[in-house]
Structures are given as C-alpha cells and as structure tokens.
Amino acid sequence: VRAVLFTPTGESDAKIEPMLVANEVPGLQLYRHKFDGLDFLAIDDAYGAYLATKELIDNGHRDIALIDYDLAVPTHRDEGYIRAFKEANLPYKKRNIIRLRFNDNIDDTMMEVLRNKEHTAIIPVGAIMIHSLYRCLNNLNLRVKEDISIVGYDDVNMAEYLGLTVISHPFRDIAFVANEII
C-alpha cells in the first residue's frame, strides 16, 4: 500500500493514524478532519448548505427543512443553514434541522416531514436521502415545485433527469487534488 484515502467517521479506529505514521504510509482524510497528524481534503459543507438555503430563501421559502446525518465528525452544514437565515434577517426554527442516524428509517422520516406539511422546501443531504424523498413524494402523489421545493445537497447522478437543483461536490477536482497531495 502506497497511500490510504479514507473518510473518517465517529467509528473510525483511532489506531489508523499511528499505524499509517509508523509504516510511513501517507494517509489522506477526505471530506472530514478527524486525525491531526494526517493531511485532509475537505469540502466547505457549511458554505454548501448556505448556498442551498439561500437559494430557497431567495425564492420565498421560510419553512425549510435541512435533513442531514447526525455525524460524530461534524460537517457544519447547520451553520451554513443558520447563516443564510441570519443574512436574510429571518428567524430560523431549530426543529427544522433534522438529523438522522444511519440506522434510522429514512423513508419514515421523509414521510413524516411531508405529511406534516410544515415545510415549503427541503434540503436533503446525500443520494440516499434524495432517493428516499422522491419515493415518498411519489407515494403521496406530491410534485416537486408545485407541492414542495427541493435543493439537494450532494451530487446525484439522476439530478439532471429529475430536474433537481443540487449543490454538487466537484468530484473530479477532489480526485485531482487528492492525487496531488498524495
């Protein structure tokens, strides 16, 4: 092994850093920074969430749900969400920031959010949440734009075909920079 690229999680083994250092194997953390002794390449998730929220606020939405994962290594997306509301001089509701664990039933959460009809817009994070949201919209006979607005956060292969606005990560650039760092 000449290098290790990985995305640290809360469950990432603390032994990985000393093991890589001891064996002189370069390690690069992608998307999150957990281990101080290893290089990292991170996305500004706070800015991405800010852009998604600002887009919806600029289009008249005030009750926007940010549905994100509850991660032990923070992404700070909620900070970007809050910043967009503050810059627009609008109050935000803490309960509109919904955090899910990986073992939560995402479809159940999406159905609950849609059935409550409290939100005029949703920012789902990641392809799994976006696919779940579209399944639930279909099951409830709800339409994007007419019934609810969506700005996805993450690159979704089907976004173009769904007509979905997304804040996308520049994966080619990330791969190039990661290669340069390694």
Side-chain angles (χ1 to χ4, degrees):
V1 174
R2 295 190 181 217
V4 174
L5 284 78
F6 67 102
T7 301
T9 65
E11 294 79 34
S12 291
D13 192 335
K15 297 175 190 171
I16 194 167
E17 181 181 17
M19 180 183 66
L20 292 172
V21 171
N23 289 293
E24 298 180 3
V25 174
L28 179 62
Q29 303 169 89
L30 295 175
Y31 307 114
R32 299 182 196 106
H33 178 211
K34 179 176 180 178
F35 302 105
D36 291 332
L38 300 175
D39 287 330
F40 70 97
L41 177 59
I43 297 293
D44 189 347
D45 281 313
Y47 185 64
Y50 164 81
L51 291 174
T53 308
K54 184 176 180 347
E55 173 69 17
L56 291 166
I57 289 171
D58 289 349
N59 282 286
H61 296 281
R62 300 300 178 259
D63 288 310
I64 303 166
L66 171 65
I67 306 176
D68 196 0
Y69 290 104
D70 185 15
L71 302 172
V73 182
T75 62
H76 307 287
R77 291 183 192 116
D78 55 336
E79 293 171 15
Y81 173 90
I82 293 166
R83 176 180 153 206
F85 273 95
K86 286 184 176 179
E87 282 186 10
N89 291 317
L90 294 170
Y92 73 94
K93 298 172 185 164
K94 242 183 178 175
R95 73 173 190 269
N96 285 349
I97 300 173
I98 302 164
R99 290 190 179 89
L100 301 176
R101 294 180 311 271
F102 283 103
N103 60 347
D104 287 341
N105 187 315
I106 296 171
D107 283 2
D108 286 351
T109 300
M110 293 297 177
M111 289 296 270
E112 183 181 332
V113 167
L114 292 169
R115 281 189 182 127
N116 287 343
K117 297 185 179 184
E118 289 179 36
H119 307 98
T120 61
I122 299 174
I123 303 167
V125 174
I128 293 170
M129 281 196 201
I130 293 168
H131 289 288
S132 172
L133 178 58
Y134 269 82
R135 264 194 313 277
C136 294
L137 288 167
N138 186 51
N139 289 340
L140 294 171
N141 293 316
L142 295 174
R143 296 162 300 166
V144 177
K145 294 183 184 151
E146 290 87 350
D147 298 312
I148 191 123
S149 292
I150 300 169
V151 173
Y153 186 85
D154 204 349
D155 191 44
V156 178
N157 294 334
M158 299 295 291
E160 171 182 356
Y161 305 106
L162 295 171
L164 177 64
T165 300
V166 293
I167 302 299
S168 179
H169 294 160
F171 290 114
R172 288 177 196 248
D173 295 339
I174 292 167
F176 178 79
V177 173
N179 185 57
E180 290 295 310
I181 292 169
I182 292 297

